[in-house]
Amino acid sequence: MTPPLSRRGALIAGAAALAGGLGPAAGAADALRLPESTRPRFSALSPLQRAGQRVIHSYPGLTPPASLMTAIEQGHTAGVIFFGENVQNLTQVEGVIRSMEQARASSPVKAPLLLMTDQEGGMIRRLPGEPVKSAKDVGASSDPHYWADFTGSGAGLNLAGVGMNVNLAPVLDVYRASGDFTDQYERSYSKSAAAVASCGADFITAQQREGVAATAKHFPGLGPATASQNTDLRSVTITTSAATLRSVDEVPYQKAIAAGVKLVMLSWAIYTGLDSARPAGLSPTVVGELRNRLGFKGVTVTDALEAGALSSYGSTSQRAVKAAAAGMDLLLCSARSVSQGDEAVAALADALGDSLDPTAFDAAAARVNALRAGL
């Protein structure tokens, strides 16, 4: 049953109650509208600056370390991911974001930072407030279309209100069994690929209408994963056939791409039906599945570069280069360590022109900067 209060009215009222009347971050709307002429000319950037356009940093605690602010000022990062430990309340994180944008103002790269978090809904939220309903709540409701739109708008308004511009949501995994990897935290809309596709597209459209880019994850799908198959912790191999992956798990991505989703995050699982040798985010074959078979033209982003699933793939430096070579545009360094992001940047800069083709490298950076400029 539809609540008596309008969607927009409910969202605004909820945001006001949570934030004590907090409005959008000062200058945030203006900062997100960047003229074409201010996009960087990569030939004018140093190797570290060119590499920085493809790395997302993270940090520990409530106060960004000086080293992170320096990386921002020097143009050595594309942005920052925020976790619960970085957020005391909405006012505090809004102030942190304002300080980051002030540091970015002196950078040679004038595009706004990508400031992101995981605000999926339900149990997986880094900020207080919307979306309160989980994906499973939405899918099981009497009006999934309404609630997918409502939660997408809520996520967008909530993040934009503090100056964030990317949400690492929605999850488009089509879960298989109650309590499995995706279902145990109520992160999947449904066991039905069509239902996941519909809800995901509604969430994406509503959120991006509020100026916050959506990220569809985890391609080609973690729906078949059992409860213990957590790529954050260990290597995961999914033996689902290519035919099933394409007829079930990839279906929501087709609709998400048609809806204009800005980013797609690839899984760290190995999919034997597509590439039995490498995790999806290190596989040119799986990236090609997304780019060529499904026609995605936006930004590809890795899952956490420190994930246990990559334990046999070397250091941060080695993982960063492998991911970039596979076709990942953005590398997510989310270990709450500024040095992790710095290590990835240095590795990419060192590999540029050697193991990493400069033309492909700058094409990836250009996709990222088109995203930054167009939000």
Side-chain angles (χ1 to χ4, degrees), residues 109-127:
V109 180
K110 298 306 179 186
L113 295 167
L114 295 174
L115 300 167
M116 62 185 64
T117 195
D118 297 275
Q119 194 76 359
E120 297 174 13
M123 289 181 270
I124 312 299
R125 292 179 292 161
R126 313 305 188 195
L127 299 180

Side-chain angles (χ1 to χ4, degrees), residues 156-180:
L157 286 168
N158 198 357
L159 269 62
V162 297
M164 293 187 193
N165 53 18
V166 177
N167 191 8
L168 298 175
V171 170
L172 297 186
D173 299 339
V174 182
Y175 85 99
R176 302 303 204 268
S178 296
D180 66 14

Side-chain angles (χ1 to χ4, degrees), residues 207-225:
Q207 178 178 272
Q208 293 189 164
R209 190 169 60 225
E210 305 300 341
V212 174
T215 307
K217 63 186 186 185
H218 312 79
F219 186 83
L222 284 172

Side-chain angles (χ1 to χ4, degrees), residues 142-213:
S142 60
D143 191 347
H145 169 77
Y146 173 89
W147 284 109
D149 185 280
F150 185 97
T151 52
S153 292
L157 286 168
N158 198 357
L159 269 62
V162 297
M164 293 187 193
N165 53 18
V166 177
N167 191 8
L168 298 175
V171 170
L172 297 186
D173 299 339
V174 182
Y175 85 99
R176 302 303 204 268
S178 296
D180 66 14
F181 173 73
T182 306
D183 181 59
Q184 62 185 319
Y185 298 110
E186 301 186 354
R187 302 173 76 192
S188 174
Y189 289 108
S190 177
K191 293 180 182 178
S192 160
V196 172
S198 178
C199 288
D202 288 341
F203 184 102
I204 288 162
T205 300
Q207 178 178 272
Q208 293 189 164
R209 190 169 60 225
E210 305 300 341
V212 174

Side-chain angles (χ1 to χ4, degrees), residues 51 55 305 316-317 320-321 331 333 339-349:
V55 174
L305 206 62
T316 292
S317 296
V321 173
L331 311 182
C333 294
S339 63
Q340 181 200 25
D342 291 345
E343 185 178 340
V345 170
L348 294 185

Side-chain angles (χ1 to χ4, degrees), residues 274-275 278 283-290 326:
L274 299 175
D275 183 344
R278 291 165 290 197
S283 169
T285 302
V286 180
V287 176
E289 180 90 356
L290 176 64

